[in-house]
Amino acid sequence: MISTTDLHPMLVHFPIALVLFGFIAECASLYFKKEIYLSTLGFYLLTTGTLMALFTLLSGALFTAEMTGAAAPVKETHETFAWVTMGILLVASALRIFLKIRNTENVNLKWLAFALFGLAALSVSITGYFGGSLVYNYMMPL
């Protein structure tokens, strides 16, 4: 039977993959300007990645054990970057949804959303690095 402590490790890879591949799709859409589906793919991967990041963040906050010793500051850094990532993803998703609903060509907002998407990809990578460090360097289950 699956316990609630297993939820975070089971969910953690989804936001990493969705956000990183979504940003790669957005970057590819800049290079292949005629291929509209790449930007649409990036949009759906961003919004899905944001939802999965929310579930993953909640599972980590609610169902993981407290850590002491040398692992405690690493977990604090991991949690901090998780919250930063969530904030960036929420703003980037809200901007992209706003642009999609309004069907507007506001270039400044598009570039802002793209920059935030890039920051989110970087931030989710850093979060994953510290989470992996907890598991592999400190043998702590998340």
Side-chain angles (χ1 to χ4, degrees):
M1 174 161 265
I2 298 173
S3 76
T4 56
T5 57
D6 295 332
L7 284 176
H8 188 68
M10 288 171 33
L11 295 174
V12 74
H13 299 93
F14 288 102
I16 296 170
L18 292 167
V19 170
L20 291 178
F21 281 112
F23 186 66
I24 289 169
E26 283 293 327
C27 290
S29 76
L30 295 175
Y31 184 73
F32 301 106
K33 295 182 192 276
K34 293 180 183 177
E35 306 297 336
I36 284 183
Y37 67 89
L38 287 171
S39 183
T40 303
L41 176 65
F43 169 76
Y44 287 118
L45 289 172
L46 171 65
T47 53
T48 307
T50 301
L51 288 174
M52 288 306 298
L54 179 62
F55 293 137
T56 303
L57 179 70
L58 290 174
S59 71
L62 297 174
F63 303 125
T64 56
E66 290 299 316
M67 295 180 188
T68 58
V74 178
K75 184 181 182 208
E76 290 295 321
T77 305
H78 173 68
E79 287 177 348
T80 301
F81 273 102
W83 283 104
V84 168
T85 301
M86 191 73 249
I88 295 170
L89 283 171
L90 286 171
V91 173
S93 291
L95 271 175
R96 287 295 304 267
I97 290 168
F98 173 79
L99 290 169
K100 193 128 186 112
I101 289 172
R102 290 287 177 113
N103 201 17
T104 183
E105 290 296 320
N106 189 330
V107 176
N108 292 332
L109 284 181
K110 282 185 177 181
W111 281 110
L112 178 61
F114 178 77
L116 287 172
F117 201 175
L119 281 174
L122 177 65
S123 185
V124 79
S125 299
I126 294 169
T127 304
Y129 170 79
F130 283 107
S133 177
L134 284 171
V135 171
Y136 292 109
N137 295 341
Y138 298 97
M139 300 299 174
M140 296 289 185
L142 292 176

